[in-house]
Amino acid sequence: MQQIIIHVDMDAFYASVEMRDDPSLRGKPLIIGSMPQERGVVATCSYEARRFGVHSAMNIKEAYRLCPNGIFMHPNFEKYRAVSDQLHSIWNTYAGASETIALDEAYLDVTEKAGSWEGACGIARTIKRRTLEELGLTCSVGVAYSKTAAKIASEEKKPDGYFEIPTPEAFVNLILDRDVRVLYTVGAKTAERLNSAGIRTVRDVRDRPEEVIRLLGKQGEWITRMARGEDGRKVTPYRPEEAKSISRELTFQADVDDFVFLKDVLFLLSMSVERRASRVGLYGEGVSLKLTYADMKTITRSKLIPSSRSAARIDREAVSLLEQVPRRPVRLVGVGIYHLTGEYARQLRFEDLLPQAKDRQEAYVPERLRDLHNRYGLDFAGNLDKIFHGETLYRTVEYMRKHRGRTASGGR
Ligand code: TTP
Ligand code: MG
């Protein structure tokens, strides 16, 4: 049997949550992101604000110029994450496999559970109804024979939309005269290359496949297949909350009761976690701290964060967790990020949303490295990368432990 896929996407997600929780915001142009006087961008905005031309990723100053009477609000990520968990747990009950694309978006493979096309459409309606009844939020849903088609279907009647694309023929008829950018993976750059060859619409792609392939290689092959409605991609089960963590831990040769030193070690571990996360292209939406005390009792503490992998952010969170635990001699310390999400997640990085936070973070690492230089006489110039390899980090930390107090040590 052919696959049947549902794509669900919440309407103006962050803004809708805020409007649900504060009726005085309803019906108003609500802009979630930075404040107009700050530097930064729009994360999302209500449909009322969209009428003024405001949209996601727009510079906040521009948004203010277009919509000076809008209500501007900072995002509350922890709240959206909690709502997101509720959403996905409703949706997942209807799917054989579900793939979380963003906090507010998922692909559901309902082929087996629905048993028929009509069954799938029934599930899609039920999902809309339950999302509204149980969480007070509207979503847009597409039912289709492929992922590409389901995604386009969910966008078709937004907001509070419902649309079906049962066959490749229906899909092709729908998008034939649209801009090439409607095809998944075709962004502004690719579109420009196609346009300069006179290929502007899906019809052009369909009619001139050799040219598209010559121009774009592998991507071209994919695009020409999509223009014929072919997309056999499966829904790949991916639930960020089930993804593993990236962490780094260290056991000291002798127990440590110096919390200034412990914080310095946390910083190095945080930097190491950042490096590992960058290498695999992941961000964390939670930071965890692990301590084993001298009596072998192990504790872990964790905190949700807007997705990030910056050492500065990880370290700040880890230090604030450390400040809430008992101060007793420690034999092992570890730092990690969890709730991993990939680069493709569309949620803006916190650092992008509030660049002033980024500035602070950029200064953070050099400042902390200077601390280490002052306290232990360490000079990382040039070989910072080398110290993070397993044994080397361990030796560096032992060196620090032994050279504590030889130089003036500040802080607690
Ligand atoms: P989207 O689903 O793209 O947008 P939306 O739900 O706000 O609006 P629509 O009705 O058009 O679907 O993204 C979901 C949330 O992700 C959004 O509410 C805010 C966040 N987001 C960002 O932080 N930055 C971005 O650039 C985008 C596109 C979204
Ligand atoms: Mg959405």
Side-chain angles (χ1 to χ4, degrees):
M1 188 171 138
Q2 182 195 19
Q3 9 175 35
I4 310 176
I5 294 169
I6 292 178
H7 181 260
V8 205
D9 187 312
M10 300 303 292
D11 303 320
F13 181 49
Y14 297 178
S16 304
V17 172
E18 299 300 346
M19 292 172 129
R20 176 193 73 178
D21 295 349
D22 179 354
S24 76
L25 298 172
R26 291 181 199 161
K28 308 234 168 86
L30 174 63
I31 296 161
I32 310 285
S34 315
M35 291 294 154
Q37 67 276 13
E38 297 167 344
R39 286 186 301 138
V41 297
V42 175
T44 193
C45 59
S46 65
Y47 278 76
E48 290 81 355
R50 292 180 198 201
R51 263 177 237 130
F52 293 86
V54 180
H55 59 77
S56 288
M58 173 181 272
N59 187 296
I60 202 72
K61 297 266 189 296
E62 172 72 0
Y64 184 68
R65 198 183 59 75
L66 293 170
C67 190
N69 296 319
I71 301 170
F72 291 77
M73 260 178 93
H74 278 155
N76 179 349
F77 292 102
E78 282 178 29
K79 180 155 138 185
Y80 311 143
R81 162 158 288 289
V83 175
S84 169
D85 287 345
Q86 296 175 302
L87 289 169
H88 288 281
S89 70
I90 293 178
W91 302 345
N92 290 347
T93 57
Y94 298 98
S98 75
E99 181 174 344
T100 299
I101 300 298
L103 285 185
D104 79 322
E105 179 185 345
Y107 287 105
L108 312 172
D109 181 335
V110 297
T111 316
E112 301 282 314
K113 292 217 176 185
S116 68
W117 179 259
E118 293 68 33
C121 297
I123 288 178
R125 298 271 187 201
T126 307
I127 283 175
K128 278 182 68 72
R129 183 175 46 74
R130 284 193 59 194
T131 302
L132 183 61
E133 284 176 5
E134 294 172 34
L135 292 170
L137 296 167
T138 63
C139 57
S140 294
V141 176
V143 194
Y145 68 94
S146 76
K147 282 171 103 170
T148 309
K151 166 102 179 158
I152 286 176
S154 76
E155 283 161 7
E156 205 52 28
K157 303 283 176 193
K158 230 174 199 313
D160 198 14
Y162 173 85
F163 196 75
E164 301 170 11
I165 304 182
T167 61
E169 295 69 41
F171 174 73
V172 172
N173 282 335
L174 182 72
I175 64 163
L176 206 51
D177 290 308
R178 293 192 189 172
D179 190 286
V180 284
R181 265 174 291 189
V182 71
L183 298 173
Y184 176 60
T185 76
V186 179
K189 271 211 194 103
T190 310
E192 214 172 282
R193 293 182 62 190
L194 290 168
N195 290 350
S196 62
I199 299 166
R200 294 175 192 285
T201 62
V202 176
R203 184 189 298 275
D204 297 336
V205 173
R206 188 197 57 174
D207 293 347
R208 295 156 66 186
E210 291 86 7
E211 269 179 84
V212 174
I213 293 168
R214 198 161 353 102
L215 224 59
L216 302 174
K218 273 248 169 297
Q219 190 194 2
E221 290 175 24
W222 157 249
I223 290 168
T224 52
R225 278 203 300 277
M226 252 194 305
R228 296 193 296 264
E230 294 167 22
D231 169 18
R233 288 178 302 147
K234 298 259 175 295
V235 174
T236 334
Y238 174 74
R239 304 201 174 105
E241 68 275 16
E242 285 169 11
K244 292 184 211 63
S245 58
I246 297 175
S247 61
R248 195 78 207 263
E249 60 182 50
L250 251 172
T251 306
F252 301 114
Q253 272 174 22
D255 298 335
V256 166
D257 55 9
D258 175 349
F259 271 59
V260 172
F261 167 67
L262 203 55
K263 285 179 191 172
D264 290 340
V265 175
L266 278 186
F267 167 65
L268 290 177
L269 293 172
S270 300
M271 286 199 45
S272 176
V273 169
E274 177 189 270
R275 268 147 217 264
R276 287 186 176 181
S278 309
R279 233 177 292 137
V280 290
L282 292 169
Y283 297 86
E285 296 188 333
V287 169
S288 63
L289 170 76
K290 174 179 172 187
L291 289 179
T292 301
Y293 288 112
D295 61 6
M296 296 304 285
K297 183 176 153 53
T298 294
I299 61 168
T300 57
R301 293 287 181 274
S302 60
K303 187 169 186 279
L304 294 176
I305 58 164
S307 75
S308 173
R309 63 175 171 224
S310 113
R313 174 123 208 145
I314 298 169
D315 189 46
R316 279 211 183 84
E317 302 295 351
V319 165
S320 85
L321 292 169
L322 181 70
E323 273 159 359
Q324 297 160 38
V325 303
R327 295 203 165 195
R328 296 195 278 119
V330 168
R331 70 187 304 264
L332 172 149
V333 60
V335 178
I337 53 175
Y338 61 100
H339 279 337
L340 302 180
T341 69
E343 306 259 25
Y344 65 86
R346 288 166 316 148
Q347 267 55 44
L348 279 184
R349 313 272 74 89
F350 183 67
E351 289 87 347
D352 299 331
L353 206 54
L354 296 169
Q356 57 271 57
K358 186 178 179 183
D359 293 347
R360 267 184 281 139
Q361 300 205 347
E362 276 166 5
Y364 187 87
V365 168
E367 264 167 35
R368 294 292 282 122
L369 287 172
R370 265 197 301 282
D371 289 344
L372 296 191
H373 178 71
N374 294 339
R375 269 203 275 285
Y376 313 98
L378 282 174
D379 187 1
F380 295 116
N383 46 29
L384 193 53
D385 280 318
K386 296 199 190 100
I387 74 156
F388 294 105
H389 299 302
E391 271 300 295
T392 321
L393 181 61
Y394 179 73
R395 281 202 299 276
T396 305
V397 167
E398 282 305 318
Y399 177 90
M400 285 162 56
R401 196 172 61 77
K402 288 175 190 140
H403 290 73
R404 261 173 321 145
R406 294 212 178 158
T407 47
S409 98
R412 286 176 295 172

